[in-house]
Every structure is written in C-alpha cells, then in structure tokens.
Amino acid sequence: MFDSSFVSHLEGAIDGTILPARTIQTTHEGRPILVRYDLDRIGAAVTRRTFQGRPQSMWRYRELLPLDDERFIVSLGETTTPLMHCPRLGERLGADKLFIKDESRLPTGSFKARGMAMAVSMAKQFGITGLVAPTAGNAGGAMAAYAARAGMDCLVFMPRDTPMVNRYEAALHGAKVFLIDGLINDCGRIARQAAEALDLFDMSTLKEPYRVEGKKTMGLELAEQMGWSLPDVILYPTGGGTGLIGMWKAFDELARLGWLDMDRKPRMYACQSDGCPPIVNAFDAGLRFAEAPPEPHTIASGLCVPVAVADFLILDAVRQSGGKALAAEEDRIDEWMRLACRTEGIGLCPESAVCVGVLERALAEGEIGRDETIVLFNTAAAQKYVEAIEIDLPVLDHTGPIDWEALSDSC
Ligand SMILES: *Cc1c(COP(=O)(O)O)cnc(C)c1O
C-alpha cells in the first residue's frame, strides 16, 4: 500500500522550469513536461529486493510511478513481457547475443498499453471523465480499451490509412472514431480543438506527463530481467519517442538510485523508415530539433510521425548514449518482418522489422559488434498488421490424386 507517491515536482523539459505536481498539467512552452521523484526517499524506502516478491506487472515498480493512490489504478493486466534470446535470427544477422523483448503480449497487443494504463489511471485520480487523442494506430486502440475499463468517454482521430485492426479495436472498445484525410499531425491539431470544444483531456503523445512514465517501466523491467545490468545496445522503433525517452529516464533514475551493478548505459539506436525519417535527418545534420520530411509514408504506421514535440529529448538521449538515429529501407520492411517471424516464431510488427533492417546494416558495417549484447523491442503484434504483408496461398485440388512429389518440391 502507498498513500502518496514519491513525486517531488514536475519539470518543463525544454528549460527546466519547476511545475507543481498533483494538479492537471499538459505541456510547458508547447513542449513535454517530465515527472521528477525524490530519489533519496525512494532509496530509503525500498531496495531492489523489494520488487522480487511482487506480481509480474508494471505496477511492481510503483515507487517509481506517479500515482498517489493505488485505488485509481486502471488495469487490464499489464504483464511483465518476455526477454527472449534469438540465436537463429542472430545467426542470420551476425549477432551472438540478440534478444527480443516482446511487448506484443500486453493488453491490446502493443506496448502502448503501458503508457495508457499509467495516463488513464492518473486521469482517473484527477477526476477526468473524457479523453481525446490522435493516433497512428495502436495508441487509439489502447486508449479506447483503458477508457472503457475506467468508464470514461473516448474520442479518437486517425489517418484514413490507419491499419484496419486499429480502426476496429478502437471502435469495438466504444471510442468515437473519426478518420481524417491527412497525417497524424493533422489529427493532433483536430484533437487539440476537440479537447477545448468538448471539454476532453488531450492524451496526445508527450502532451501530458504520464504516458512516458508508463513506458518507463520497459526500461525498469529490462534492468531487472538482466539482473540489474543493461545491454550494450538497444534498438527501438521511434515515432513520437515516448518509449526511448521513457527508457532513458528509467536508466537515469536507476543509476541515481545506485541500483545498476555496472554503471554503464546502453547505446540507444532510434530506428526509423526512410519513408519518414525526421529524427535520423536531424541527427545526421547535428540539429537539436527535427523538421518534417517531405511526403512522409510508411507501412510501419507507428513510425509515421513527421513532427514530434519531444524531438530534442529523443536526440539528446541518443547522443548522450553514444548511439545513433538510423533509417532502414521502407520497401524491405516486409522482408525483415518475414525473416524474424520465420526464424524465431515471434510475431514481429513492421515497426520492429525496421530495427532488424538497421541492425543488419549496423552489424555489417561494424557499428555494432557481433559479441555485444543487443536488445530489440517488438512493440506490437504482427497479427495487427494484415495489410503490411501480401500472402498468396495455393489451393490444393483434393478431388483427384495428390502429386506429393510436386507438393514437396514447392515446400
Ligand atoms: C507508437 C508505436 C511506436 C513508436 O512509439 P514511440 O515510443 O512513441 O516512439 C513504435 N511501434 C509501434 C508498434 C507503435 O504502436
């Protein structure tokens, strides 16, 4: 039980302005607000061993989360996700110690559940009753599911070409869903107007402080699963950047708590499709802020984010870590997706297939070493992307004798 969180204050990420916690906050100077904790008090209250006896769920790290009263937790069972050694895929790519952390096991089949579980719980604590968000896909489904669980109203705007399953799941969970002839940023603008006009809370990526705290648990969980150390390399499919920023924040908090056995952080690789690579372009140009690329397009819908409000936080984390922002070819995404699904049996989403492409090249070029410990995040389930891959299956004529030789040749 806990009566009150260890949050000390909130902080405007762009200029460090201190803002009060325990009141509704959105952005500061149009940029993200981050949660800060009294780490000394956390260190005095719990040790790493405290977590061992707790349920396998993101809420096991509650001292490092912002909720003041656990009665407000809105949960669909945010299970700990497996970290799996992938020797067969590793061999194909030239890596001995490749691991995939499979976030597709979470409610609604994507890691968006971590952020929404946290943010919807906070919204409940603040007495908010209606939510709105733009989505490129999985965020809308996750928000709709958690809003349903909390008994809140939910409004979602998504680009017209959003994957079918994402359109259905949001609607199925009772959200009002509108398709927009435009990009995620157009949906974002409309969501902001809807929030004002209809008195809803805007849950857009990094336009409220708590989704990133939920995604932070990916980093906490990874550290605990690896025995309180961290891998050499993390490959992360980067759209709005919540996951990458959240993990980097987790590693920073763990290091300050003195909970990492080797005080060595991973090189963070922000992976994008060359159909929409704003962070990669800014990284290459040595810029702190990104510009929208021309004609953004990718079947990895979660990465189709031409403008990210937290661009500078993504770029800061990547640079501080000694990693890079790298792009892989849009027209090879299905090839990498098939490769991972076939060699390991893990349903890799197209966003994470982009990471496979980045890894393949980085290994070939010596940017990442064969003997390094590499963790690649599978952020959603392949099953959600029925449009991403064309699969033509032959029909077997079973009315006459079957030519088994011809059949086995085609296998
Ligand atoms: C949203 C999403 C991403 C990008 O997430 P960020 O953490 O906001 O960069 C990656 N993969 C999938 C499947 C997503 O749904």
Side-chain angles (χ1 to χ4, degrees), residues 111-112 138 205 215 236-244 302-303 349 351 379-380 385:
F111 77 136
K112 290 289 194 295
N138 292 312
T205 298
K215 291 223 185 149
Y236 184 78
T238 305
T242 338
L244 193 144
L303 306 187
C349 65
E351 288 84 354
T379 44
Y385 297 83

Side-chain angles (χ1 to χ4, degrees), residues 233-304:
V233 166
I234 286 180
L235 293 133
Y236 184 78
T238 305
T242 338
L244 193 144
I245 295 163
M247 274 194 278
W248 193 243
K249 189 170 185 289
F251 301 155
D252 179 63
E253 289 169 1
L254 290 174
R256 283 170 198 265
L257 282 161
W259 287 358
L260 293 176
D261 278 342
M262 282 181 294
D263 198 357
R264 184 182 51 88
K265 291 183 194 154
R267 307 201 300 285
M268 307 291 285
Y269 288 86
C271 306
Q272 297 197 306
S273 158
D274 65 3
C276 183
I279 301 299
V280 177
N281 293 344
F283 181 84
D284 288 344
L287 301 173
R288 190 163 187 235
F289 299 98
E291 277 171 33
E295 294 174 52
H297 64 96
T298 170
I299 56 163
S301 47
L303 306 187
C304 206

Side-chain angles (χ1 to χ4, degrees), residues 192-203:
R192 200 159 52 243
Q193 292 169 7
E196 288 220 353
L198 305 174
D199 195 24
L200 300 170
F201 187 70
D202 185 352
M203 295 279 272

Side-chain angles (χ1 to χ4, degrees), residues 86-300:
C86 294
R88 287 162 54 80
L89 180 61
E91 193 187 330
R92 293 290 295 268
L93 301 174
D96 295 332
K97 286 176 275 177
L98 172 61
F99 294 82
I100 293 183
K101 189 157 170 61
D102 190 7
E103 296 284 301
S104 72
R105 313 294 182 90
L106 288 159
T108 68
S110 96
F111 77 136
K112 290 289 194 295
R114 291 185 191 264
M116 286 300 175
M118 191 70 248
V120 172
S121 298
M122 289 303 288
K124 195 168 169 194
Q125 179 173 296
F126 287 125
I128 290 166
T129 57
L131 309 172
V132 60
T135 180
N138 292 312
M143 183 174 79
Y146 283 95
R149 187 82 170 150
M152 293 182 193
D153 294 330
C154 183
L155 176 59
V156 175
F157 298 100
M158 52 175 75
R160 213 174 170 153
D161 58 0
T162 299
M164 191 198 321
V165 172
N166 295 136
R167 281 179 263 149
Y168 287 1
E169 66 181 350
L172 196 58
H173 288 306
K176 284 205 185 69
V177 182
F178 291 92
L179 303 178
I180 302 292
D181 255 323
L183 293 164
I184 177 83
N185 304 104
D186 300 305
C187 298
R189 182 171 38 81
I190 295 163
R192 200 159 52 243
Q193 292 169 7
E196 288 220 353
L198 305 174
D199 195 24
L200 300 170
F201 187 70
D202 185 352
M203 295 279 272
S204 301
T205 298
L206 287 152
K207 290 187 181 167
E208 57 75 50
Y210 303 113
R211 279 173 65 186
V212 69
E213 291 301 300
K215 291 223 185 149
K216 188 177 83 177
T217 60
M218 270 191 301
L220 302 174
E221 204 174 287
L222 178 65
E224 192 184 1
Q225 280 173 321
M226 297 192 68
W228 302 102
S229 64
L230 295 170
D232 299 305
V233 166
I234 286 180
L235 293 133
Y236 184 78
T238 305
T242 338
L244 193 144
I245 295 163
M247 274 194 278
W248 193 243
K249 189 170 185 289
F251 301 155
D252 179 63
E253 289 169 1
L254 290 174
R256 283 170 198 265
L257 282 161
W259 287 358
L260 293 176
D261 278 342
M262 282 181 294
D263 198 357
R264 184 182 51 88
K265 291 183 194 154
R267 307 201 300 285
M268 307 291 285
Y269 288 86
C271 306
Q272 297 197 306
S273 158
D274 65 3
C276 183
I279 301 299
V280 177
N281 293 344
F283 181 84
D284 288 344
L287 301 173
R288 190 163 187 235
F289 299 98
E291 277 171 33
E295 294 174 52
H297 64 96
T298 170
I299 56 163

